Amino acid sequence: MLSTRSTDLLKTEFSDKETDAGQKEQWVALVDVNNFYASCERVFRPDLEGLPIVVLSNNDGCIIARSQEAKDLGFKMGDLFHMVKPRLHQTGTKVFSSNYALYGDLSDRAVAVYREFTPSIEIYSIDESFLNLTGFGGREELLRLGRSIKERVRQYTGLPVCVGIAPTKTLSKIANRIAKKNKEHQGVFILSYEDKDRLQQIDISDIWGVSRKLTPKLQALGIYNALDLSRADPKRIRSRFSVVLERMIYELNGQSCLALEEIAPIKKGIMVSRGFGQYQDNVSRVREAVASYATRAGEKMRTQHLAANKLTTFLRTSPHGKDQVYYSNSFSITFPEATSDTGQIIRAAAYCLKKIYRQGLKYQKAGVFLDGLVDASATQQDFFFKPDIKKSEALMEVLDKLNRDHGRDTVRFAASGMNKDWKMRQKMISPRYTTRWEDIKVID
């Protein structure tokens, strides 16, 4: 299965030299915020520097993020909070509920810094972005550029990042990993042809896109690390596995197969769901929760200039409940015309809820899913259904602006309730320093 030389398989070797056509090789940087959630908690709390930190999931259920110090103490992703709570206290580990408003805003600020260096960016996740650095010079210039990105992000946002630079996206992920794991690189590493032997240090399971199920199958073929995979016959790998793995081989050899997605593709759907802070058997409170989720889904959709053709509401009891039979159900409705109007979305969600709600049960979770998303500016109007679209758009624009300028839920539909007793548990949430006026840090 393995070829003796990768050059027998591929005509392209990655290097920092010019191509035959006189064009510079492509260079891609992956900028990744270190231990993102934990680092966000430290931005406005310098006293947390050097202390172990964990961040909990919705309803403070389990650990979903850890600082390096917490990792070194042995805390794992998915550890149940109530099981490790005594050890968290014994080790002096600081515990926080998820603060998504803070994390999202700091992520946006980091991306704004990246755009000062290049307009060609793919936002891959909340803490990772690919930057196109083609044409910025040779190895030394790119190294200086990577260090400048790292320093400016730290200066402007307080977040620590690592920068991996390479000819392809797959290699830039590996370069970023090397930058993060080896302190001598000071958070910036360039992976070029001269460094190809370093691929041997990357286990096959640590390669971007290689799943747990795929790892033992590749190991059975004698492929244990990234260098082994780069030397494999891509055509045979494709016939045995998939075209995705074939492309990965080309990427590991410097031949770009994954273009930067500077314009995010239209999402297929938007889901907003939460577990209740405590079980709910009151239909009014469940209706308020569903209306709140519908509102949030509408906000998310409008930020992407989309409209929905279909809505689904789902409801369930706890799968671990001992005093009642498990119940889970959903109901969908198709709009006469694609809409982004929160009022219509709330009414549709309430109608669906009425179809699935059963009296006498204690519910643990509900959610709203918007489907059939299309460009809001290209929606087709129904001849028999003619709502006042301009009025609706103007209302939503004012609503979003007020909530954007003065904080979420400054103005909201009454259907989402006032007290929100159903809200998920967030007993250890930090202030929303950058998105709520009352939480802005005050210096005496």
Side-chain angles (χ1 to χ4, degrees):
M1 175 62 71
L2 299 181
S3 174
T4 55
R5 294 184 63 207
S6 59
T7 50
D8 294 336
L9 301 174
L10 301 168
K11 295 180 180 179
T12 305
E13 289 280 10
F14 60 94
S15 67
D16 55 1
K17 298 180 181 179
E18 293 189 0
T19 63
D20 293 337
Q23 296 179 337
K24 288 286 186 179
E25 290 283 344
Q26 172 176 293
W27 288 102
V28 178
L30 176 67
V31 187
D32 178 23
V33 182
N34 304 337
N35 306 311
F36 180 63
Y37 286 3
S39 294
C40 287
E41 297 293 348
R42 282 177 170 153
V43 169
F44 295 93
R45 290 280 308 275
D47 58 301
L48 296 175
E49 199 66 41
L51 298 180
I53 296 172
V54 298
V55 178
L56 304 179
S57 62
N58 291 346
N59 281 314
D60 296 341
C62 64
I63 295 175
I64 59 169
R66 305 153 295 159
S67 67
Q68 187 59 51
E69 295 82 2
K71 294 176 184 178
D72 294 341
L73 288 172
F75 293 108
K76 302 288 192 299
M77 292 284 284
D79 280 349
L80 297 176
F81 177 52
H82 73 274
M83 296 289 290
V84 297
K85 189 175 181 179
R87 194 155 65 90
L88 289 167
H89 178 72
Q90 292 168 4
T91 56
T93 301
K94 303 299 180 182
V95 182
F96 293 94
S97 302
S98 297
N99 188 342
Y100 298 120
L102 177 65
Y103 307 153
D105 187 66
L106 289 179
S107 174
D108 291 342
R109 293 177 185 226
V111 171
V113 176
Y114 307 155
R115 293 195 190 281
E116 295 182 6
F117 292 89
T118 174
S120 182
I121 293 176
E122 176 189 337
I123 302 173
Y124 181 67
S125 66
I126 194 170
D127 61 340
E128 293 179 290
S129 292
F130 289 103
L131 282 61
N132 186 352
L133 300 184
T134 302
F136 278 81
R139 187 184 180 96
E140 290 303 316
E141 290 84 358
L142 288 170
L143 189 60
R144 285 194 292 270
L145 182 63
R147 289 170 178 165
S148 295
I149 293 172
K150 181 177 185 294
E151 291 167 3
R152 192 172 299 181
V153 172
R154 184 71 170 185
Q155 179 185 1
Y156 286 14
T157 70
L159 296 171
V161 301
C162 283
V163 183
I165 304 173
T168 68
K169 291 170 73 174
T170 301
L171 286 170
S172 69
K173 289 279 285 188
I174 292 176
N176 186 279
R177 183 177 181 85
I178 294 172
K180 189 176 294 185
K181 297 295 182 181
N182 298 274
K183 293 183 179 180
E184 65 268 22
H185 301 305
Q186 299 180 329
V188 181
F189 182 72
I190 299 178
L191 185 60
S192 61
Y193 180 68
E194 290 79 7
D195 307 300
K196 189 174 181 181
D197 287 344
R198 281 187 174 268
L199 296 182
Q200 193 169 9
Q201 303 171 11
I202 307 300
D203 291 340
I204 192 68
S205 59
D206 292 329
I207 300 176
W208 180 39
V210 176
S211 65
R212 289 183 180 179
K213 290 184 179 180
L214 187 58
T215 296
K217 295 178 182 179
L218 291 172
Q219 291 174 339
L221 299 174
I223 301 174
Y224 294 97
N225 54 57
L227 186 61
D228 291 339
L229 184 59
S230 74
R231 290 171 173 170
D233 185 328
K235 299 304 179 186
R236 291 182 179 178
I237 288 292
R238 175 174 180 168
S239 65
R240 184 148 187 168
F241 296 101
S242 68
V243 66
V244 175
L245 200 57
E246 178 195 23
R247 289 172 181 164
M248 191 179 297
I249 294 174
Y250 288 116
E251 285 259 326
L252 288 172
N253 282 278
Q255 184 173 335
S256 178
C257 299
L258 304 173
L260 259 67
E261 296 182 0
E262 297 178 44
I263 300 176
I266 291 179
K267 289 188 175 182
K268 295 181 179 180
I270 292 177
M271 168 78 80
V272 177
S273 64
R274 300 283 188 275
F276 302 133
Q278 54 187 359
Y279 294 159
Q280 296 294 330
D281 57 3
N282 184 301
V283 65
S284 296
R285 289 181 177 175
V286 175
R287 192 187 299 117
E288 287 181 0
V290 168
S292 180
Y293 304 156
T295 298
R296 180 64 182 135
E299 290 174 352
K300 284 186 173 184
M301 186 169 59
R302 287 193 297 275
T303 61
Q304 301 169 60
H305 308 290
L306 301 175
N309 280 294
K310 184 178 178 181
L311 177 145
T312 300
T313 299
F314 76 86
L315 188 64
R316 79 175 195 198
T317 60
S318 172
H320 308 294
K322 298 179 181 180
D323 57 343
Q324 64 179 7
V325 177
Y326 176 64
Y327 172 75
S328 177
N329 206 349
S330 65
F331 192 85
S332 302
I333 187 172
T334 300
F335 296 107
E337 172 183 328
T339 183
S340 61
D341 187 296
T342 295
Q344 293 182 39
I345 294 170
I346 288 176
R347 286 193 292 273
Y351 175 81
C352 293
L353 176 65
K354 189 176 180 180
K355 293 290 186 180
I356 59 177
Y357 188 88
R358 286 188 182 179
Q359 201 72 32
L361 297 179
K362 295 181 179 180
Y363 294 98
Q364 184 258 341
K365 189 174 185 179
V368 172
F369 180 65
L370 297 178
D371 199 4
L373 303 184
V374 295
D375 188 333
S377 63
T379 57
Q380 216 171 13
Q381 293 190 31
D382 190 297
F383 182 78
F384 299 101
F385 182 75
K386 296 183 178 180
D388 192 338
I389 295 178
K390 290 186 178 180
K391 182 178 179 180
S392 170
E393 290 177 348
L395 177 61
M396 292 301 104
E397 186 177 343
V398 171
L399 181 69
D400 291 340
K401 186 176 189 309
L402 287 170
N403 288 327
R404 187 169 55 248
D405 293 347
H406 302 284
R408 184 178 296 169
D409 288 341
T410 297
V411 180
R412 62 181 183 272
F413 284 78
S416 61
M418 299 296 291
N419 296 325
K420 298 190 176 182
D421 298 328
W422 41 265
K423 287 188 69 175
M424 65 181 179
R425 291 189 300 272
Q426 291 180 301
K427 294 183 178 179
M428 293 155 286
I429 191 168
S430 53
R432 297 169 178 83
Y433 298 105
T434 62
T435 57
R436 291 180 62 178
W437 287 106
E438 57 269 34
D439 287 349
I440 290 178
K441 197 78 170 177
V442 177
I443 301 176
D444 296 327

